[in-house]
Amino acid sequence: MHRLAAASLFVAGSAASVSAQVPTAVDFLGNNSIVTVRFVGSEAADRSTLAYQIGAIGSFNAAGTWTDLFTNNGVGASAPGTQMQIGNVSSGQNVFFRLTNTTQGVGPTFTNFRFYSGLASRNPDNALHMAVSAGSGLAASGGGTFTTAFSFEDRSGTIVPISDFDYNDLRFEISNVSTVVPEPGTYILMASGLAGLGMMARRRRNNA
């Protein structure tokens, strides 16, 4: 994993206020290229850390190994515009993200403030905590461009202080991935549905 100086990568106004984002339950899929993540900026008052996990498609594991990427606010905070390469991700691998709010998540409530990309069921409040939108198109240090942006909501929907769910708290961009990737369970449902349609078509032909 390589870290680049933020100074030459910062875009004026990149940390400015943006409109509310639409949450979505997607995973990021590699394309046999080096994936780079860029910290765009933060509107959050709390301190949080973004970490990532790479695994086979649909292999999300909250208890698995996570690697920290960026931290906002306080000592050692990442500068807006900083890019981090997370390595070559194959077309058979997902990149998962975890945001940990270390201001609110203290003591026994710590895990209640760990939020994940993808399905709402991964999160302690059973809510979506990531939104995805178009990226800036800036060049990524590992090759390619930032075609996809994603942002996190850093507070819980069930524990005070309650989240406003504007998904503007921490914003990032990612290169060389595709989105809207169904998990294996979704593929099974799709296959079952197609099989059912096939059976119905055969019955109609036989009854004709």
Side-chain angles (χ1 to χ4, degrees):
M1 184 169 63
H2 307 284
R3 185 185 185 98
L4 277 74
S8 63
L9 301 169
F10 178 74
V11 177
S14 63
S17 177
V18 295
S19 59
Q21 304 296 302
V22 178
T24 184
V26 300
D27 288 327
F28 297 109
L29 181 68
N31 67 359
N32 302 312
S33 301
I34 294 175
V35 172
T36 305
V37 182
R38 176 176 178 266
F39 178 44
V40 176
S42 168
E43 294 183 355
D46 296 341
R47 179 178 172 89
S48 296
T49 298
L50 182 77
Y52 74 93
Q53 178 185 90
I54 298 174
I57 294 174
S59 65
F60 169 82
N61 181 7
T65 300
W66 295 83
T67 303
D68 290 346
L69 277 175
F70 304 109
T71 298
N72 73 307
N73 296 335
V75 177
S78 305
T82 301
Q83 295 189 26
M84 298 283 281
Q85 295 176 22
I86 65 175
N88 193 304
V89 182
S90 77
S91 58
Q93 292 180 307
N94 284 147
V95 182
F96 307 104
F97 289 100
R98 180 187 74 188
L99 189 79
T100 303
N101 185 326
T102 55
T103 298
Q104 302 298 329
V106 294
T109 67
F110 184 73
T111 56
N112 290 329
F113 289 90
R114 275 190 162 167
F115 306 115
Y116 300 93
S117 58
L119 299 173
S121 58
R122 296 173 181 172
N123 294 313
D125 58 355
N126 202 37
L128 293 173
H129 275 264
M130 187 185 75
V132 175
S133 58
S136 65
L138 291 172
S141 63
T145 59
F146 292 110
T147 56
T148 304
F150 64 101
S151 54
F152 266 90
E153 180 56 44
D154 70 343
R155 290 186 176 179
S156 172
T158 56
I159 300 175
V160 176
I162 297 294
S163 170
D164 58 8
F165 285 108
D166 62 1
Y167 298 90
N168 288 337
D169 294 326
L170 291 100
R171 303 188 303 280
F172 310 91
E173 293 186 306
I174 188 169
S175 69
N176 295 326
V177 294
S178 56
T179 58
V180 193
V181 181
E183 295 198 341
T186 307
Y187 284 121
I188 293 171
L189 289 174
M190 289 171 61
S192 298
L194 291 172
L197 289 173
M199 290 177 64
M200 290 175 63
R202 283 195 297 273
R203 286 174 182 170
R204 286 173 182 164
R205 285 197 299 270
N206 292 336
N207 293 333

